[in-house]
Amino acid sequence: MLQDRRPRGGRAPTPEQRARRVLGLLVLACLTVITLDARASSPLDPLRSAVGNVVGPMESATATAVRPFSDLGDTLQTNHGLRKDVARLEAANAQLRGQVATAPVDRQRLAELDGLTKVVGDTGYSMVAAHVVAVGPMQSFSRTVTIDAGTSSGVHKDMTVLNSDGLVGRVVRATRSNATVLLIVDTDSVVGGRLGTNLEIGFLRGRGSVGDTGRLALDLVDDSVVPAKDDVVVTWGSKDGVPYVAGIPIGRVESVVSSPRQSSRQAVIEPFVDFTALDVVGVVVPKGTKGDRPVLTAGAPQ
Amino acid sequence: MTALRGAGFAALVCAAVVAQAVVFRFVAIDGVVPDIALVLVVVAAIDRGPQFGAVLGFAAGLLVDLAPPADHIAGRWALALVVVGYLAGRVRDDARSSALGAVLVVGAASFVGTSLYALSGVVLGDGALPVDETLRVIVTSVLWDVLLAPLLVPLLLRAFDLLGRDPVPARSRVLH
């Protein structure tokens, strides 16, 4: 067995003992960090924004580098037909292949930006367009994404994030060049919503999962109201638009579940936004925001 | 550990954390991506032992906890990866004996790490999902890591070789 080469007074610890001590110390350190961060105003927030200032730009740069290949993943993941198409195209020449790889992505982005501009026209809100650069893994059991716009573009905590389909989430943290967005399907997310047909209000809670099962649960304030299937839910809006502005479509009623034990009913809402394919999003900013990227404003052409 | 080697490990940890959030999101299954940081910690433990595994697990876990877009209580991934690093280091002889052994250790580590993380969420009431969905996430995550282990483990072991060993054993051999 390996022995410590420098015994100083008494028996020197074996590597196993040393490893166990290190383990104990590190576990204690972790518990300390957890205890500190579990408080409402975490003393770790400065550290978090410092790490964000370093890692955020790295994520943005990596996202830019892998962008031309991004639709390859969609192909593998969602569409067998497209996979076949790619196989067929691989037989074609290199130039064609390159075009096929990047053109749909560019066109898609243009369409999304176009949609965002239309949303600006419809709602009258001013927006900053941003790309989603990183997505939190489901292993962390939270649904968050990083976008490539931060305080330097006028994006701050508690701002509404949407895309051309509807409400995406809200900004929970912003560094100079990046911001973290909590998606509305996260279990921590609560949004005030209003039924489109009868203007009844309620609260939408995320159920945590994305993809085909990404749903929201709507509890109406008035228990006697039964939401109609396919009724559209929009944000009801908070004071001064913090964290959610009013009138943004969230989703439509998929089904209504009533439990016999309680008198309350819960509606299951299918969100309009496809959270597995988030790319271009808009952050609602106050009018007259100045930043290092253009602010989309209703009425005034850029 | 020399400063250069430390910087090398730091760069590896950063690359792993950025890769799993930025690159691998395009192949995510229901949002579950290969846990590159966890595999890195396991390989470190296999290559350098439980002490180093636990230390690198702490560093990598803390970075996962603090780097955007993380929004959970910090220290949870750190705790999970410290334990993973230590345990993987304890069974390093099995992992080094065969390629299959290494893959099995990665799979077991992935199960232990993700479960520990989920458990800490239940204890702290921080973003816990229903049990069936939690299990689905854990199983998918283990499958991902086992699938990528044959590719990642040799690659990372190679990177560790390039970074070189701690000079302490070599010096003591000269002295004695």
Side-chain angles (χ1 to χ4, degrees):
Chain A
M1 191 161 63
L2 286 165
Q3 292 292 329
D4 197 313
R5 271 86 41 187
R6 284 160 294 172
R8 38 183 125 75
R11 275 181 60 237
T14 64
E16 281 82 7
Q17 283 171 328
R18 242 190 345 221
R20 223 169 298 148
R21 272 178 213 173
V22 168
L23 173 73
L25 283 175
L26 289 175
V27 167
L28 269 181
C30 291
L31 294 179
T32 311
V33 170
I34 290 173
T35 317
L36 286 175
D37 200 44
R39 297 192 207 172
S41 64
S42 166
L44 263 79
D45 281 344
L47 187 61
R48 205 172 234 134
S49 61
V51 171
N53 271 325
V54 177
V55 181
M58 279 162 69
E59 287 176 350
S60 298
T62 315
T64 311
V66 299
R67 192 151 286 160
F69 309 102
S70 62
D71 77 335
L72 183 71
D74 287 346
T75 308
L76 291 170
Q77 184 190 8
T78 55
N79 202 320
H80 290 278
L82 273 174
R83 196 191 308 193
K84 258 186 230 156
D85 280 358
V86 170
R88 182 169 50 81
L89 285 164
E90 264 167 359
N93 66 49
Q95 194 195 354
L96 245 179
R97 229 172 16 221
Q99 280 176 8
V100 169
T102 56
V105 183
D106 293 342
R107 209 176 302 133
Q108 186 67 32
R109 278 165 180 262
L110 199 63
E112 283 186 47
L113 258 174
D114 231 25
L116 212 57
T117 320
K118 195 170 166 301
V119 173
V120 168
D122 291 348
T123 59
Y125 293 122
S126 299
M127 270 175 232
V128 168
H131 281 125
V132 169
V133 292
V135 176
M138 195 60 211
Q139 281 102 316
S140 292
F141 301 108
S142 62
R143 304 313 293 157
T144 48
V145 299
T146 310
I147 57 173
D148 64 354
T151 50
S152 66
S153 316
V155 174
H156 295 279
K157 190 175 187 287
D158 287 337
M159 283 182 169
T160 312
V161 181
L162 43 80
N163 72 2
S164 49
D165 296 326
L167 184 67
V168 170
R170 66 181 158 94
V171 177
V172 286
R173 199 169 295 118
T175 60
R176 214 186 59 76
S177 58
N178 293 84
T180 301
V181 177
L182 183 75
L183 306 182
I184 53 171
V185 284
D186 188 277
T187 46
D188 283 344
S189 164
V190 180
V191 189
R194 192 189 282 283
L195 281 173
T197 49
N198 53 14
L199 305 183
E200 285 293 334
I201 56 171
F203 295 95
L204 293 112
R205 289 183 176 78
R207 288 177 154 197
S209 48
V210 289
D212 291 340
T213 54
R215 294 290 182 269
L216 302 158
L218 170 69
D219 291 302
L220 288 175
V221 174
D222 185 350
D223 282 341
S224 62
V225 177
V226 184
K229 194 172 183 299
D230 287 336
D231 201 350
V232 170
V233 183
V234 301
T235 53
W236 118 45
S238 329
K239 187 173 178 285
D240 300 329
V242 174
Y244 295 108
V245 294
I248 306 298
I250 303 171
R252 69 164 55 86
V253 178
E254 191 183 56
S255 59
V256 180
V257 189
S258 55
S259 84
R261 283 185 295 126
Q262 301 155 341
S263 56
S264 67
R265 292 185 189 83
Q266 203 174 53
V268 180
I269 308 295
E270 181 193 1
F272 289 128
V273 174
D274 179 2
F275 290 99
T276 56
L278 280 179
D279 191 5
V280 178
V281 296
V283 184
V284 178
V285 293
K287 284 203 163 54
T289 297
K290 296 252 184 309
D292 57 6
R293 58 173 74 200
V295 179
L296 308 171
T297 314
Q302 289 293 311
Chain B
M1 198 188 305
T2 63
L4 195 67
R5 190 169 300 128
F9 285 122
L12 269 180
V13 170
C14 277
V17 172
V18 169
Q20 69 191 31
V22 178
V23 184
F24 284 91
R25 75 178 170 109
F26 295 112
V27 293
I29 299 172
D30 286 341
V32 181
V33 295
D35 204 334
I36 313 293
L38 183 137
V39 178
L40 176 71
V41 170
V42 173
V43 172
I46 291 174
D47 195 49
R48 311 271 155 116
Q51 186 180 332
F52 186 81
V55 171
L56 197 78
F58 183 73
L62 213 54
L63 192 66
V64 174
D65 283 329
L66 294 176
D71 191 45
H72 52 266
I73 294 175
R76 288 177 58 197
W77 268 119
L79 181 63
L81 292 188
V82 162
V83 176
V84 160
Y86 178 77
L87 291 181
R90 292 305 299 264
V91 294
R92 61 195 289 223
D93 291 335
D94 298 320
R96 281 192 296 191
S97 60
S98 72
L100 183 68
V103 171
L104 286 179
V105 168
V106 169
S110 174
F111 179 78
V112 170
T114 318
S115 306
L116 265 179
Y117 177 84
L119 205 64
S120 68
V122 173
V123 171
L124 294 163
D126 184 29
L129 289 186
V131 178
D132 57 331
E133 285 199 42
T134 306
L135 280 178
R136 215 179 66 181
V137 169
I138 293 173
V139 169
T140 318
S141 145
V142 170
L143 287 179
W144 256 136
D145 294 347
V146 166
L147 198 71
L148 280 196
L151 195 76
L152 273 179
V153 173
L155 207 70
L156 289 173
L157 278 176
R158 188 71 187 278
F160 276 56
D161 272 347
L162 286 178
L163 282 174
R165 305 269 141 195
D166 235 14
V168 177
R171 202 192 305 138
S172 66
R173 226 179 290 136
V174 173
L175 287 175
H176 292 260

